[in-house]
Amino acid sequence: MKNLLGLAVISGVLLSGCGDVQISINKDDGSDKVEDTDKKKDSDKVELVSDEMDNEKMSDTEKQEAILQFINEDIKKVAEYEVAAIQSLATVSGVNYIDDPTLYKELTTTTIPAYEKALEEAKGIEAGTPELEEMKNRIVTATQTFYDALILEKKAIKDQDEGLIEESNAKVDEYYRLVEAYHADMKLLAEEYDVTYEVDEQNVETDSL
C-alpha cells in the first residue's frame, strides 16, 4: 500500500510556538507621557468587537494574558497529543514501514486514540476573547481534518483501496494549508498586543514508501 503521509516530513505544527511566546514591551507607548491613573486605565480598555459581548471590556494587558494562556496552555495540551500521534505513526511508516498489518495495528491502538484526544482538547478550549475564539475554531477545523485523514487511511488499509489513500493525502494537504494560515494570523493577532509569537519547527521524519 502507498503510505498515507506521502510528504517527506510530517511537522507537529500546531504545537509550534508553545513555550516560546512572551510579552514584549513597547517602549514607545506612553514612556514620555504623564497620565492620570484613571485616564490611563480608561485608555487601556478596548471594546471587544463581538455582538455577544458589546458591553464587556478588557484591557490590553488582559488580552495579552488571554493570548499567552491560549498558546502556552490550551494549544500546548492539543499539541502534546498531536505530537504523540504523529510520532506513533512515524514508527510504522516511511523508512520504518514493515507491512500493512503492523501499520494498521499502530493506527488503531495508538495513533488514532492519541489524535482523538488532541481533537477533544481543541474542542474544549475556552477562548478569552472573540479573536481567540476564531483561532480556536480554526484549530478545531485543522485537527478534525487531520483526524479525518487518519480515519481514511485506516479504512484504506483495511479495504486495500488506493482511492481512499489519495483522499487521505488530500486531507493532509488541506491540514497543512489550514495550519499555515492559522500561524500567520495568530502571529498578527499576537503582535497587535505586543506578544512575541515564534514558530519552532518540530519535525518527524516519515519518508514516503
Side-chain angles (χ1 to χ4, degrees):
M1 288 290 288
K2 181 181 175 184
N3 187 14
L4 157 74
L5 300 173
L7 301 177
V9 175
I10 303 304
S11 300
V13 272
L14 286 187
L15 56 145
S16 298
C18 288
D20 295 294
V21 181
Q22 54 187 301
I23 294 175
S24 54
I25 304 300
N26 185 341
K27 295 181 180 179
D28 294 329
D29 262 356
S31 57
D32 297 321
K33 298 178 182 179
V34 177
E35 298 180 285
D36 179 83
T37 302
D38 292 335
K39 288 183 179 180
K40 186 173 189 333
K41 287 182 180 179
D42 289 338
S43 67
D44 283 342
K45 293 182 179 180
V46 293
E47 288 289 343
L48 293 180
V49 285
S50 169
D51 292 338
E52 298 178 357
M53 305 175 72
D54 285 337
N55 297 321
E56 185 175 349
K57 294 182 179 181
M58 292 178 70
S59 68
D60 283 355
T61 298
E62 289 170 328
K63 283 198 171 186
Q64 284 179 331
E65 292 173 352
I67 290 171
L68 290 173
Q69 177 176 328
F70 181 81
I71 299 169
N72 290 338
E73 297 180 25
D74 299 331
I75 299 303
K76 183 178 181 180
K77 291 177 183 177
V78 179
E80 288 172 351
Y81 288 119
E82 185 184 46
V83 127
I86 291 173
Q87 289 178 339
S88 161
L89 187 58
T91 64
V92 291
S93 61
V95 295
N96 296 317
Y97 175 82
I98 300 174
D99 53 37
D100 282 355
T102 302
L103 175 56
Y104 186 84
K105 181 180 180 180
E106 185 69 19
L107 268 174
T108 55
T109 62
T110 306
T111 308
I112 291 175
Y115 214 89
E116 285 175 343
K117 292 179 180 178
L119 181 57
E120 182 181 351
E121 285 289 344
K123 290 180 177 179
I125 292 174
E126 295 184 3
T129 72
E131 299 97 326
L132 290 177
E133 183 66 28
E134 171 62 22
M135 293 296 103
K136 173 252 179 112
N137 290 338
R138 292 168 71 170
I139 288 293
V140 171
T141 299
T143 51
Q144 181 68 61
T145 299
F146 196 88
Y147 177 74
D148 291 344
L150 294 175
I151 297 301
L152 282 169
E153 183 183 23
K154 175 185 173 182
K155 183 170 176 55
I157 295 172
K158 183 177 180 180
D159 298 346
Q160 293 293 291
D161 188 331
E162 291 286 346
L164 290 179
I165 287 291
E166 293 178 2
E167 289 181 35
S168 184
N169 279 324
K171 285 284 186 182
V172 173
D173 289 340
E174 181 184 355
Y175 162 83
Y176 281 115
R177 288 192 295 271
L178 290 168
V179 171
E180 184 178 355
Y182 158 78
H183 280 306
D185 289 343
M186 189 69 239
K187 183 177 178 65
L188 290 175
L189 177 61
E191 289 177 348
E192 183 178 348
Y193 294 100
D194 291 328
V195 174
T196 300
Y197 183 75
E198 297 180 355
V199 178
D200 282 349
E201 292 297 331
Q202 299 194 34
N203 302 321
V204 178
E205 299 292 339
T206 55
D207 296 333
S208 56
L209 298 175

